[in-house]
Amino acid sequence: MPQSSSVGSPQHATTAASDEDYNQPLAFVHTISGAGRLLPSSSHWNSIEIDFNILPQSNAPSGYESLPSRFSKSYDYNLIVTDKAHLRRCVYVTASIFLAIALCFFLLHFVPLHKHHHRGSVKNLTLAVNQALVFFDAQKSGILPKNNLVKFRGDSGLQDGNSSTAKVDLVGGFYDSGNNIKFSLSTAYTTTLLSWTVIEYHEKYDDIAELDHIKDIIKWGSDYLLKAFVPRNSSTSSPTKIFSQVGSGGNDSKVENDVNCWQRPEDMRYERPVSVCDSTASDLAGEIIAALSAASLVFKKDEAYSGKLIKAAEELFDVASKNSTSHIQGMYTNSECGKQASEFYNSSGFKDELIWGGAWLFFSTGNKIYLDYATQNFDAAVQEELSSEKGIFYWNNKLTATMILLTRLRFFLDLGYPYEDAFGSSTNRTDLLMCSYLNKLQFSMTEGGLILLKPKYGAPLPYAATASFLSKLYSDYLDLLRRSGSSCAGSVFTLDKLRRFSRSQVDYILGDNPMKMSYIVGFGDKYPTHVYHRGASIPWDHRRHECAEGDKWLNSKEPNPNQILGAMVGGPDHNDIFLDDRDKPWFTEATISSNAGLLAALIAHHDSPLKSQDNLNASSSNGLNLGIDMMGIFQNIHILP
């Protein structure tokens, strides 16, 4: 979990032993279908442009080619062949030289691309997606479904909300990371991002039989967010409430809580206090608005549930977007309700969340009031963005993702006046973002090729994952427009170069790195085995383990007895070094927000569903040949340009 010295932020790294070296077998592992088929990477051959005009071409204006040359074209030669054998030998040698040159030309230009293609094809992205989804099943709180895939998890947190600070039903949701705290901000961000991937790439999920699975995960999050938001009740004069946190992060060693107790969530008996905010927690409100709005598009066929999500989002937007003497906007971690959350998810602004929420509410309703808000307040969000946050998409910064959404509108549903300036600015900023990923002067990279978007912090993988997602998604948009690339500030980038960067970050996470290990638990032959996670590190032996027993499990040098399948750890340091130690959470902790970015990158790079040529040609106009739904996100928009 970000920004916690005692609990750990999303960051980790070290050498893990191979399966054959484990001294003790794992007691429990996740069980999922081995339905993954070996998937070739996106073919680069489709984008190669070959110029067959090898000979020099005239630069003369049209019509000048017919003018006579100033050089004579007539020469007289007296050639006498004295030895036909020597002539044949000369011809053969000359022909051989030309063939050798042609072969070298071919090898130099095409073999590197072929090698790159082969390198990507060894990654089974179906299996990686399967596993990444299971991690969210492991993080579920509340009454678990009978078919839950994680065998070392049981019902937990059944008294959440029933504390000395509140009496409300807050059962459900997700544990944020390796501890047992539930944060509404990270839950909302995770729900928004997962919903976005389904809206764009639902055909890919369906093709690998994971669409119902991810929709179940999204609903687990949206159901909880409906509980976490209580609208103002005019009849009782009760104000708007947003429950921001369940569980305590206090450091009082005399009081058992979610930080100082290394205890499985099923064994918790200590009180779990509830933190409650009002509508002035603008950043938290904005992210919940985005989550409920995006989820409503995922569940569009269930009109009752989708309508319920939209109704809550609109009610929250009505109060959160106001900025007057009677309603002051602000950051939730600056108030008492987010005081403890600031140790883990400290907010640096709120305007980006509000325009993010407004954009998603526009997609879910088609009401231009919300688009007006997002576009009119876009520049204010840009001004609020910290320099250290520029170009990064994660739980604290939604500006980069919002400008891609607005660019999407411009590309495929240009609404014209009065949105031209905002859409144009978003497109320019998006192109600059893509160039920044490719420019090592702006963002440095490790020797192994991992981009360092926040070099002063640990846990680089979550930021690299979202950069991979955004760059692949944007390249798909450009591909739908039949463009081979774009430009920014005088520089030009091609689709092939952008996609190679994007895929390189996924491949790094999956094992193409100097440590030669996968940073996803269970993927490949070598991966982290000491993940910072309470439930995974304590044996599932059907006994309750007290808080006092926790340290022996935390400090144990043995691998986790339960495999937290699909968890992406924080990753290596800036030297590509990873330490697989449970007591070093900046290397080995996994979070729901980090895994949401991982899943987004994985599904974006997954091969599009196979089709017959007839279907492929018929569907190319709406994006199905790329596995992306070009127009589905616009289904509720009926504004004429």
Side-chain angles (χ1 to χ4, degrees):
M1 214 167 5
Q3 304 183 14
S4 167
S5 57
S6 58
V7 182
S9 1
Q11 312 151 13
H12 257 59
T14 195
T15 307
S18 65
D19 291 343
E20 294 79 359
D21 295 332
Y22 297 165
N23 294 323
Q24 296 182 0
L26 297 177
F28 289 90
V29 297
H30 305 278
T31 57
I32 65 173
S33 168
R37 56 186 172 85
L38 194 61
L39 299 171
S41 65
S42 300
S43 174
H44 293 283
W45 291 90
N46 294 331
S47 61
I48 296 174
E49 298 177 3
I50 304 177
D51 184 1
F52 288 99
N53 296 318
I54 300 175
L55 297 177
Q57 303 295 311
S58 170
N59 294 323
S62 176
Y64 279 68
E65 292 88 341
S66 61
L67 293 178
S69 169
R70 61 190 179 92
F71 298 104
S72 172
K73 296 182 180 178
S74 300
Y75 297 91
D76 291 329
Y77 293 97
N78 294 318
L79 299 178
I80 301 173
V81 178
T82 59
D83 191 328
K84 292 183 179 180
H86 286 173
L87 175 64
R88 284 195 296 269
R89 189 177 302 114
C90 179
V91 171
Y92 293 154
V93 170
T94 303
S96 299
I97 292 173
F98 275 109
L99 286 174
I101 293 173
L103 180 61
C104 291
F105 177 84
F106 178 85
L107 292 174
L108 288 173
H109 284 76
F110 294 106
V111 167
L113 288 176
H114 182 70
K115 286 182 178 179
H116 178 81
H117 173 76
H118 177 73
R119 181 187 181 205
S121 67
V122 300
K123 305 301 181 186
N124 188 339
L125 294 189
T126 296
L127 181 60
V129 170
N130 296 152
Q131 294 176 338
L133 284 168
V134 173
F135 172 74
F136 295 100
D137 295 314
Q139 297 302 105
K140 287 179 178 177
S141 177
I143 301 175
L144 302 185
K146 293 181 180 179
N147 62 344
N148 194 54
L149 297 173
V150 185
K151 303 308 179 185
F152 64 85
R153 286 299 323 281
D155 298 344
S156 63
L158 302 186
Q159 296 300 313
D160 282 355
N162 185 18
S163 69
S164 59
T165 56
K167 300 293 180 183
V168 64
D169 176 15
L170 291 176
V171 176
F174 298 101
Y175 298 114
D176 176 72
S177 55
N179 59 48
N180 301 332
I181 304 177
K182 298 191 301 193
F183 294 104
S184 295
L185 181 70
S186 62
T187 297
Y189 167 79
T190 297
T191 303
T192 309
L193 183 49
L194 293 184
S195 296
W196 192 6
T197 70
V198 172
I199 293 165
E200 300 281 17
Y201 297 114
H202 57 84
E203 186 179 333
K204 292 184 179 183
Y205 282 117
D206 192 38
D207 187 54
I208 59 175
E210 287 287 13
L211 183 58
D212 289 341
H213 190 181
I214 190 172
K215 289 173 72 173
D216 170 74
I217 292 168
I218 292 169
K219 192 172 187 298
W220 199 270
S222 58
D223 281 349
Y224 180 77
L225 294 174
L226 287 173
K227 293 181 178 182
F229 164 58
V230 180
R232 178 179 178 273
N233 190 324
S234 57
S235 61
T236 62
S237 299
S238 59
T240 297
K241 294 181 181 179
I242 305 175
F243 296 100
S244 61
Q245 180 179 330
V246 177
S248 173
N251 293 316
D252 187 351
S253 59
K254 297 180 181 179
V255 180
E256 293 185 358
N257 59 43
D258 293 283
V259 170
N260 59 37
C261 279
W262 191 265
Q263 195 172 28
R264 299 172 63 251
E266 292 80 4
D267 295 339
M268 296 183 301
R269 296 292 185 273
Y270 47 79
E271 183 177 4
R272 286 165 59 80
V274 174
S275 299
V276 57
C277 305
D278 58 23
S279 59
T280 60
S282 308
D283 41 11
L284 179 57
E287 190 59 74
I288 292 177
I289 292 165
L292 298 178
S293 301
S296 75
L297 292 171
V298 172
F299 300 106
K300 58 187 177 182
K301 293 183 179 179
D302 185 346
E303 294 183 2
Y305 186 66
S306 180
K308 186 177 181 180
L309 295 172
I310 291 174
K311 182 176 182 293
E314 289 189 306
E315 288 177 336
L316 185 52
F317 185 86
D318 285 345
V319 293
S321 60
K322 293 178 181 177
N323 186 20
S324 63
T325 55
S326 60
H327 182 272
I328 301 175
Q329 297 173 327
M331 295 173 287
Y332 86 112
T333 50
N334 281 354
S335 61
E336 189 62 31
C337 75
K339 185 176 180 180
Q340 286 193 349
S342 65
E343 300 177 23
F344 309 96
Y345 290 96
N346 191 39
S347 178
S348 62
F350 62 86
K351 294 177 182 177
D352 60 316
E353 277 86 10
L354 286 176
I355 65 170
W356 172 243
W360 278 113
L361 197 48
F362 171 67
F363 287 123
S364 66
T365 65
N367 190 334
K368 75 179 188 67
I369 291 176
Y370 305 122
L371 180 60
D372 290 344
Y373 183 90
T375 54
Q376 291 169 9
N377 290 276
F378 183 83
D379 287 341
V382 171
Q383 295 300 318
E384 186 186 65
E385 184 183 33
L386 299 178
S387 59
S388 60
E389 299 282 292
K390 291 185 183 299
I392 305 171
F393 174 40
Y394 73 122
W395 55 264
N396 187 46
N397 188 5
K398 318 300 161 36
L399 186 62
T400 51
T402 303
M403 65 194 191
I404 287 181
L405 284 179
L406 296 180
T407 298
R408 196 191 204 292
L409 271 168
R410 182 191 183 210
F411 282 172
F412 306 116
L413 198 72
D414 194 347
L415 301 178
Y417 180 83
Y419 306 111
E420 301 100 320
D421 289 344
F423 287 177
S425 174
S426 295
T427 303
N428 291 336
R429 290 180 180 278
T430 299
D431 284 334
L432 285 170
L433 174 66
M434 298 303 142
C435 284
S436 72
Y437 291 153
L438 305 175
N439 184 356
K440 293 183 179 180
L441 296 178
Q442 181 143 358
F443 293 119
S444 59
M445 284 193 174
T446 67
E447 288 291 327
L450 178 66
I451 192 169
L452 298 174
L453 293 169
K454 290 177 75 71
K456 294 183 179 179
Y457 299 83
L461 296 187
Y463 314 118
T466 53
S468 175
F469 167 64
L470 293 183
S471 53
K472 177 57 168 65
L473 180 65
Y474 189 59
S475 75
D476 284 349
Y477 292 167
L478 294 176
D479 206 349
L480 290 172
L481 295 172
R482 302 296 185 263
R483 291 171 57 181
S484 60
S486 192
S487 61
C488 56
S491 299
V492 175
F493 63 87
T494 64
L495 284 187
D496 181 66
K497 189 173 183 180
L498 188 61
R499 283 176 171 162
R500 278 190 280 120
F501 157 75
S502 182
R503 183 56 190 258
S504 72
Q505 302 307 294
V506 169
D507 285 344
Y508 186 101
I509 294 170
L510 295 180
D512 286 350
N513 55 66
M515 298 294 292
K516 303 301 180 185
M517 68 182 298
S518 161
Y519 290 116
I520 302 176
V521 175
F523 188 89
D525 298 326
K526 181 182 177 184
Y527 47 80
T529 61
H530 298 74
V531 178
Y532 182 94
H533 193 277
R534 285 160 171 77
S537 66
I538 301 175
W540 179 248
D541 52 9
H542 303 287
R543 291 178 49 235
R544 180 176 183 271
H545 295 280
E546 300 290 342
C547 175
E549 300 178 63
D551 283 351
K552 74 175 181 179
W553 308 115
L554 170 63
N555 299 322
S556 170
K557 299 303 179 183
E558 298 298 322
N560 288 344
N562 308 311
Q563 191 183 74
I564 185 74
L565 191 69
M568 181 183 74
V569 296
D573 62 15
H574 63 280
N575 292 318
D576 295 302
I577 302 300
F578 176 79
L579 300 180
D580 188 14
D581 292 343
R582 194 179 299 110
D583 61 353
K584 293 180 174 59
W586 52 94
F587 284 117
T588 56
E589 188 170 26
T591 71
I592 57 174
S593 58
S594 298
N595 252 63
L598 166 68
L599 187 60
L602 291 174
I603 199 65
H605 284 278
H606 196 288
D607 277 2
S608 58
L610 297 176
K611 298 178 180 295
S612 68
Q613 189 60 45
D614 290 341
N615 289 337
L616 186 64
N617 292 335
S619 64
S620 61
S621 61
N622 61 15
L624 295 181
N625 60 318
L626 294 174
I628 186 172
D629 188 345
M630 185 170 79
M631 300 303 292
I633 196 173
F634 304 134
Q635 62 181 343
N636 295 320
I637 301 174
H638 306 293
I639 302 175
L640 295 176

